[in-house]
Amino acid sequence: MLKQTDYIKHGNRYSYLVDSGIMSRADLEKAMEIAKEKSKSMDDVIIDSFKVKKQDLGKSLEKYYDTKFVAFDNSYEPPFELYEQKKLDPDFLKKYGWVPLKKEGKNIVVLVNNPFDLGRLDEIRFIFGTTRITPYVALIRDIELFIDLFHNQYKSDQDISSLAEGIDLGGDLADDFIEEGEITENDSEVVRLVNALMVEAWRKNASDIHIEPNVRSRYCLIRLRIDGTCHEFKKLRLALARPIVSRIKIMSQLDIAERRLPQDGKIKVKLSEVSKLLEFRVAVMPTIESQEDVVMRLLASGKPMSLEQLGLTNDNLTNFEKLIHKPYGLILVVGPTGSGKTTTLHSAVSYINTPEKKIWTAEDPVEISQDGLRQVQVNPKIGLSFAAVLRSFLRADPDVIMIGEMRDRETAHIGVEASLTGHVVFSTLHTNTAPETITRLLDMDLDPFNFADSLLGVLGQRLVKTLCVKCKEKYSPAKKELVELGIEYGPGFKEQLQKSFDKEAALYRARGCRHCLGGYKGRIGIHELMPNSGGIKKMIKYKKPTEEIRDQATVEGMLSLKQDGIIKLLKGITDIQQIRAASGAA
């Protein structure tokens, strides 16, 4: 094995850096001095002190060792089978500087810092009892990060499985129901099991945990909703369902004795495996066979997204910014549950959140916190409804008011009145499209003249899955596909094609890789923005039907949800299946 001085003399391990002019030989000599003085590895010094990019150093290592370089990436799944077989200890792996990366058939890929260390490779072959070992090169610091990542994920998976299997239910009841007192929500194993489920949901970036006991199948199914789609995560014994539900009820401060009625609660918990406070909104629902389902929504606590991150087109972004800068009026964000309305509201409020403005918000629940906002948690159980809070806001010197949702007639009426008396009012509504919002609010007996004068605009939105940037596949669409897209888009499709492509159209489709789920990773919004123009105002005052309002908005330049989605499709952000699923015939 080469010594540090040999790296300079022979120019092997770092020869690419020298040959390509990224570092000079003088730099390498200086790096060797620093490494020796500070007892650091040459790799770390080259990256930290000489600002060499990791991919450049990796390319040098690939050329020298004639093998693949792997940088740390937390999307890798640990090779559970290898960990289970050999009970690999993280301290042992760190001491000898290697880690198994994956198993490909009968071949085992391992990461090492020096693939020329034949003695180390022989030890690894002995541990796994096979000669089929392929060494990839990696930095020592990255190997240690992989060891920690794999160990934590393996431990989490094993904790859930072993806790579920190891809880002693006693007697012949182990696969069926349990009697009160045999195992309770206070047992440490149940506590750890629930904690492990919450941690795993956070690690997988899930929005919801679904706990679903099934008496007929005799198991309790755990599902996670990731990027809007539910995925099966674990199947636990049916007898664990009640203790798990009871534990969640206690954490949510709900009544554990009540099993006949739905209950709602909230959990705030700080777990050692997670770097921040986790917040869950909990819904407990009684189901058949005297069981209870639980849905735990992981609240997206943290800073609001910027308007640019919402996925608005340039025209929609410009027009929306103009609306939220108005001195007074009503701005509505509409869409079904889970379409990102609250996120959009907070982004809009954050955009105008300055020390000169007094901003009150009424939310249920408060999911995102912002400095400068005075936020109120609605609690209907004690009479603190949206309408009651809104009335109080009007006596609290507001400039801007954000109402989580216009759920009822009273809230809608007060919101319109507030927007007519010198305040900007933001709110959400559960409607399918922007034009439908007008009809829905008029059905709440709003005065059409007051409503027409107060409304600034309506933003309809949906969330669609985005294609994984690491594996999406480029292809040339057939003429038939473009014709179908043109029919769905409507007039103006040719102009959009010309804007998107110079010569030939090229689209992308999902493939799937280890970084994503089925070729998709993350979500983006599709929108339709309907500013309240003079033509729309006239239609509101005369209570025109939704179809006529939509026609007027389209004439004035509003893009529908589907049209906005097709524009994102042409940009390679998503595909037509996602657009059709989200927008339907809209």
Side-chain angles (χ1 to χ4, degrees), residues 19-174:
D19 295 342
S20 59
I22 296 172
M23 291 186 74
S24 65
R25 290 193 175 275
D27 289 335
L28 284 180
E29 292 175 0
K30 180 64 176 177
M32 184 185 68
E33 293 175 6
I34 295 174
K36 186 175 181 180
E37 179 182 341
K38 296 185 176 181
S39 299
K40 295 178 65 177
S41 74
M42 279 280 285
D43 295 346
D44 290 349
V45 171
I46 287 172
I47 290 176
D48 297 337
S49 300
F50 291 85
K51 307 304 178 185
V52 172
K53 294 179 180 178
K54 185 185 288 189
Q55 54 265 40
D56 288 334
L57 177 55
K59 193 168 183 179
S60 185
L61 299 180
E62 281 185 337
K63 288 180 176 294
Y64 177 44
Y65 292 113
D66 192 25
T67 189
K68 184 177 178 181
F69 171 77
V70 178
F72 176 72
D73 185 340
N74 59 13
S75 68
Y76 275 93
E77 286 288 332
F80 289 117
E81 180 184 352
L82 301 179
Y83 271 78
E84 181 62 30
Q85 283 179 352
K86 300 302 175 182
K87 305 296 181 185
L88 298 174
D89 179 68
D91 293 332
F92 169 80
L93 295 176
K94 286 182 180 180
K95 180 178 179 181
Y96 293 103
W98 65 275
V99 65
L101 183 68
K102 57 185 175 180
K103 189 172 183 181
E104 297 176 334
K106 295 183 179 181
N107 189 55
I108 297 174
V109 177
V110 297
L111 295 183
V112 292
N113 181 247
N114 180 8
F116 288 171
D117 188 347
L118 301 181
R120 179 73 66 243
L121 295 182
D122 285 340
E123 291 173 2
I124 296 171
R125 292 187 182 96
F126 176 78
I127 289 173
F128 289 113
T130 179
T131 59
R132 297 187 176 184
I133 299 292
T134 300
Y136 287 173
V137 65
L139 307 181
I140 284 293
R141 62 165 66 169
D142 282 3
I143 290 174
E144 292 181 351
L145 288 173
F146 272 118
I147 292 170
D148 290 335
L149 174 71
F150 288 174
H151 178 67
N152 288 336
Q153 291 190 6
Y154 171 75
K155 184 174 180 294
S156 177
D157 184 81
Q158 291 302 300
D159 281 349
I160 294 173
S161 299
S162 62
L163 284 171
E165 293 299 322
I167 296 175
D168 183 14
L169 302 174
D172 297 328
L173 301 167

Side-chain angles (χ1 to χ4, degrees), residues 170-423:
D172 297 328
L173 301 167
D175 293 321
D176 207 330
F177 297 102
I178 59 171
E179 299 292 340
E180 294 292 340
E182 287 195 21
I183 179 171
T184 73
E185 67 283 347
N186 294 318
D187 287 347
S188 61
E189 291 85 357
V190 175
V191 173
R192 290 170 56 203
L193 177 57
V194 173
N195 289 352
L197 287 174
M198 292 190 291
V199 169
E200 200 59 27
W202 173 77
R203 282 182 177 152
K204 294 183 180 295
N205 200 29
S207 61
D208 301 85
I209 306 172
H210 294 255
I211 300 171
E212 304 167 347
N214 191 321
V215 174
R216 295 175 185 176
S217 301
R218 301 170 73 86
Y219 62 73
C220 178
L221 178 64
I222 310 293
R223 295 197 291 167
L224 301 180
R225 185 179 294 277
I226 302 172
D227 288 340
T229 303
C230 281
H231 300 270
E232 185 176 313
F233 174 58
K234 286 284 181 183
K235 284 184 179 179
L236 308 179
R237 288 171 293 166
L238 177 63
L240 290 171
R242 283 184 178 168
I244 288 174
V245 172
S246 294
R247 171 60 185 167
I248 292 171
K249 283 183 176 180
I250 286 178
M251 297 179 75
S252 311
Q253 298 183 338
L254 302 178
D255 183 359
I256 64 171
E258 180 55 74
R259 294 177 178 168
R260 301 165 300 171
L261 297 174
Q263 297 187 69
D264 297 317
K266 192 172 182 180
I267 294 174
K268 288 186 178 182
V269 61
K270 183 72 174 74
L271 302 172
S272 58
E273 300 91 339
V274 181
S275 59
K276 65 177 183 177
L277 183 75
L278 295 184
E279 295 186 54
F280 292 88
R281 185 170 63 194
V282 178
V284 181
M285 187 70 62
T287 52
I288 60 173
E289 307 287 356
S290 302
Q291 294 294 317
E292 292 177 286
D293 277 30
V294 177
V295 178
M296 302 171 65
R297 167 151 291 189
L298 180 54
L299 301 180
S301 57
K303 294 182 179 180
M305 297 172 65
S306 66
L307 285 179
E308 290 76 11
Q309 293 176 301
L310 297 178
L312 291 160
T313 60
N314 291 334
D315 288 344
N316 280 344
L317 178 60
T318 300
N319 292 330
F320 192 56
E321 288 175 351
K322 289 178 181 178
L323 292 183
I324 64 181
H325 273 117
K326 297 284 187 181
Y328 58 86
L330 176 63
I331 298 173
L332 298 171
V333 179
V334 302
T337 300
S339 60
K341 299 185 298 296
T342 301
T343 300
T344 299
L345 280 187
H346 269 280
S347 297
V349 171
S350 174
Y351 191 73
I352 58 173
N353 182 7
T354 61
E356 293 79 23
K357 285 187 171 67
K358 177 73 172 186
I359 303 176
W360 286 101
T361 77
E363 303 169 71
D364 184 21
V366 176
E367 296 185 32
I368 300 173
S369 299
Q370 291 189 49
D371 292 337
L373 266 58
R374 308 313 303 152
Q375 297 176 271
V376 176
Q377 170 77 54
V378 170
N379 188 352
K381 294 179 182 178
I382 61 172
L384 193 63
S385 63
F386 279 116
V389 174
L390 186 50
R391 279 195 298 268
S392 298
F393 282 171
L394 295 178
R395 299 189 292 271
D397 189 29
D399 293 304
V400 178
I401 295 172
M402 189 183 100
I403 313 167
E405 183 183 345
M406 284 190 172
R407 291 179 178 173
D408 51 59
R409 178 180 179 276
E410 186 180 9
T411 305
H413 277 256
I414 299 172
V416 170
E417 290 176 12
S419 64
L420 288 170
T421 53
H423 310 104

Side-chain angles (χ1 to χ4, degrees), residues 371-559:
D371 292 337
L373 266 58
R374 308 313 303 152
Q375 297 176 271
V376 176
Q377 170 77 54
V378 170
N379 188 352
K381 294 179 182 178
I382 61 172
L384 193 63
S385 63
F386 279 116
V389 174
L390 186 50
R391 279 195 298 268
S392 298
F393 282 171
L394 295 178
R395 299 189 292 271
D397 189 29
D399 293 304
V400 178
I401 295 172
M402 189 183 100
I403 313 167
E405 183 183 345
M406 284 190 172
R407 291 179 178 173
D408 51 59
R409 178 180 179 276
E410 186 180 9
T411 305
H413 277 256
I414 299 172
V416 170
E417 290 176 12
S419 64
L420 288 170
T421 53
H423 310 104
V424 178
V425 178
F426 293 90
S427 190
T428 71
L429 204 66
H430 286 94
T431 57
N432 290 322
T433 63
E436 286 179 37
T437 306
I438 306 299
T439 308
R440 175 71 61 83
L441 287 171
L442 289 175
D443 287 343
M444 292 183 181
D445 294 327
L446 287 180
D447 181 274
F449 289 88
N450 285 343
F451 179 39
D453 290 336
S454 68
L455 183 66
L456 292 176
V458 183
L459 179 70
Q461 70 176 56
R462 298 286 191 281
L463 292 178
V464 297
K465 294 181 183 179
T466 54
L467 294 169
C468 174
V469 296
K470 293 184 180 294
C471 71
K472 65 181 182 179
E473 182 179 32
K474 189 175 182 179
Y475 73 99
S476 297
K479 185 177 180 180
K480 181 182 177 182
E481 184 175 356
L482 289 178
V483 170
E484 289 176 352
L485 279 178
I487 293 172
E488 293 189 65
Y489 185 92
F493 182 66
K494 287 186 177 179
E495 289 79 1
Q496 288 298 336
L497 280 178
Q498 290 171 356
K499 286 182 183 178
S500 303
F501 309 107
D502 294 331
K503 296 180 181 179
E504 188 177 353
L507 303 181
Y508 290 85
R509 56 192 168 204
R511 286 185 59 192
C513 66
R514 62 178 177 80
H515 298 277
C516 63
L517 291 170
Y520 302 98
K521 187 171 185 179
R523 291 189 289 176
I524 195 171
I526 58 174
H527 308 87
E528 59 179 17
L529 179 62
M530 187 180 74
N532 189 15
S533 63
I536 300 293
K537 278 186 179 182
K538 187 175 180 180
M539 291 192 158
I540 295 174
K541 290 176 181 179
Y542 288 97
K543 295 187 176 181
K544 294 293 183 180
T546 300
E547 293 75 17
E548 291 188 28
I549 296 173
R550 171 172 288 283
D551 290 343
Q552 178 65 29
T554 302
V555 168
E556 294 176 1
M558 183 189 80
L559 294 177

